[in-house]
Amino acid sequence: MKITLGPLTRKGWRWISAVVLTAAALWVVGTAQFGPKTEAAERSTAPQEGFSAPGFTLNTLDQDSLTLEDLRGQAVILNFWASWCPPCQEEMPAMQSVYETFADQGLQIVAVNLAFQDSTEAAQNFVDTLGLTFPVVMDEDGEVARQYRISALPTTFFIDADGVIQEVVMGGPLSDALLYTRAESLLEGVR
């Protein structure tokens, strides 16, 4: 018994399918490589290892401003957190310990509070309770969190002295051992 698919044979349908699939593949590849590059398209990928950390300027709890680019030449641990986040609460003492150990060797820790999901009062109480001495900046409108594609708290970026992201860790809490190891590794480029 011979099966036909309308006026075309199986061979004809296969040929048409191959042509359509090839054309679609060429269109996808062509638009991906040569399509217009908008600012939104260039910002669509999350900051990742091997790429420069996106710059920002935010206010600290004391209303001073901190600009990430001003920290070039130092190793930076950039941590996104909120006072209501249990893993954030758990890892902050380890952050403070690492900061106290390595700050005089060129390590900077910057804690970015997601103030658009938190409150300044809660953040200040958190900082005071834990005795944090590293810079805490407030992301009031969420722009920096969007720029860094923060989808989990805490999220930590390990940035070398040249401003290049060496590692991204989503979630936590980060252990003392991991933080100490990463800090030592980042500082090798500073010394």
Side-chain angles (χ1 to χ4, degrees):
M1 177 175 184
K2 184 175 180 182
I3 299 175
T4 59
L5 303 172
L8 291 176
T9 64
R10 281 188 182 176
K11 185 176 180 182
W13 280 109
R14 285 185 188 139
W15 185 83
I16 290 172
S17 296
V19 168
V20 169
L21 288 174
T22 302
L26 290 172
W27 180 80
V28 168
V29 169
T31 58
Q33 288 181 353
F34 306 110
K37 300 286 186 203
T38 63
E39 184 179 335
E42 289 184 10
R43 290 186 298 157
S44 66
T45 58
Q48 54 191 299
E49 294 174 22
F51 291 88
S52 294
F56 63 82
T57 299
L58 291 173
N59 288 331
T60 66
L61 284 167
D62 300 326
Q63 295 306 308
D64 293 328
S65 75
L66 181 141
T67 300
L68 184 64
E69 291 88 351
D70 291 346
L71 301 178
R72 288 280 165 89
Q74 299 179 64
V76 177
I77 297 176
L78 182 64
N79 179 260
F80 289 83
W81 67 284
S83 64
W84 47 261
C85 161
C88 302
Q89 296 165 4
E90 207 171 316
E91 77 181 9
M92 279 299 181
M95 294 274 184
Q96 180 63 35
S97 177
V98 166
Y99 182 69
E100 290 172 1
T101 301
F102 296 109
D104 62 343
Q105 297 174 43
L107 177 72
Q108 189 62 258
I109 294 179
V110 178
V112 180
N113 177 268
L114 301 189
F116 65 100
Q117 295 180 347
D118 208 347
S119 73
T120 302
E121 297 80 25
Q124 186 67 63
N125 288 338
F126 184 94
V127 168
D128 293 344
T129 299
L130 293 176
L132 303 179
T133 58
F134 48 80
V136 174
V137 295
M138 307 301 287
D139 187 7
E140 299 284 346
D141 60 6
E143 180 60 32
V144 176
R146 281 188 295 279
Q147 185 177 16
Y148 275 80
R149 302 279 193 213
I150 302 305
S151 61
L153 289 179
T155 295
T156 306
F157 292 80
F158 296 90
I159 304 168
D160 69 17
D162 295 323
V164 176
I165 299 168
Q166 297 300 310
E167 183 176 5
V168 181
V169 179
M170 292 177 61
L174 300 180
S175 69
D176 290 30
L178 182 133
L179 286 168
Y180 274 86
T181 301
R182 298 310 186 273
E184 288 174 340
S185 176
L186 289 174
L187 289 169
E188 287 176 5
V190 176
R191 296 178 184 144

